[in-house]
Amino acid sequence: LSRAPELEDGSHPPGRTFTNNRGLYFTFDQMLYKASAGEDDDRGLSIFGQFGRAPGDRNEARAYYGGGVTYKGPFPSRNDDVVGIFIGHTDFSGRLKRSHGLRHETVLEATYSIQVTPFIRLQPDFQHILRPGGDPRHDSATVLGLRCEIRF
């Protein structure tokens, strides 16, 4: 069995460990609108959601909620491109709230995945993070990224 250390908050002597850890999560992904009637055509509008929970005495994050929408084939000449927006929210454990003042973090994201060739995909990404790391002293942060996927 793996051991999980208890998160410290100064309320009792340190050093307690747990012989187990657990969590629960759910995800869903559902197409809402199909762009064409073709059976092999997966272009259209989809929604997705995520939820997770874990004990706050041995995990930094106690709960996570997220969801968004994607649209595959946003333009007639770009059938394999995908545009999407997402929001995710993490609630930190009560121990981190008491010891460090960390409460929650929220991420807003927008992305566009471009199928450049049959084996190369580029995905620029924009993220705006409210309360990065859950710290109320930090209002927000902005992250720009670029993912490159090469399939062999």
Side-chain angles (χ1 to χ4, degrees), residues 15-117:
R16 188 167 85 160
T17 59
F18 298 94
T19 58
N20 62 51
N21 198 356
R22 61 193 175 280
L24 178 68
Y25 70 93
F26 295 98
T27 64
F28 74 87
D29 192 343
Q30 178 64 48
M31 180 173 271
L32 296 177
Y33 166 75
K34 193 166 184 170
S36 80
E39 286 186 30
D40 293 338
D41 193 352
D42 60 351
R43 293 177 301 135
L45 179 70
S46 296
I47 62 169
F48 63 92
Q50 308 156 339
F51 168 77
R53 240 175 120 79
D57 56 357
R58 59 198 89 177
N59 296 286
E60 292 182 1
R62 139 186 114 66
Y64 170 80
Y65 316 89
V69 296
T70 60
Y71 195 95
K72 183 172 183 185
F75 304 108
S77 63
R78 308 295 310 167
N79 291 338
D80 293 321
D81 288 4
V82 181
V83 62
I85 57 172
F86 166 79
I87 184 168
H89 181 82
T90 302
D91 282 329
F92 292 102
S93 74
R95 292 188 178 277
L96 287 179
K97 288 177 185 177
R98 289 189 297 275
S99 64
H100 296 89
L102 305 182
R103 302 235 179 267
H104 56 266
E105 172 184 275
T106 302
V107 177
L108 307 167
E109 181 177 7
T111 188
Y112 188 91
S113 182
I114 306 159
Q115 189 72 49
V116 179
T117 71

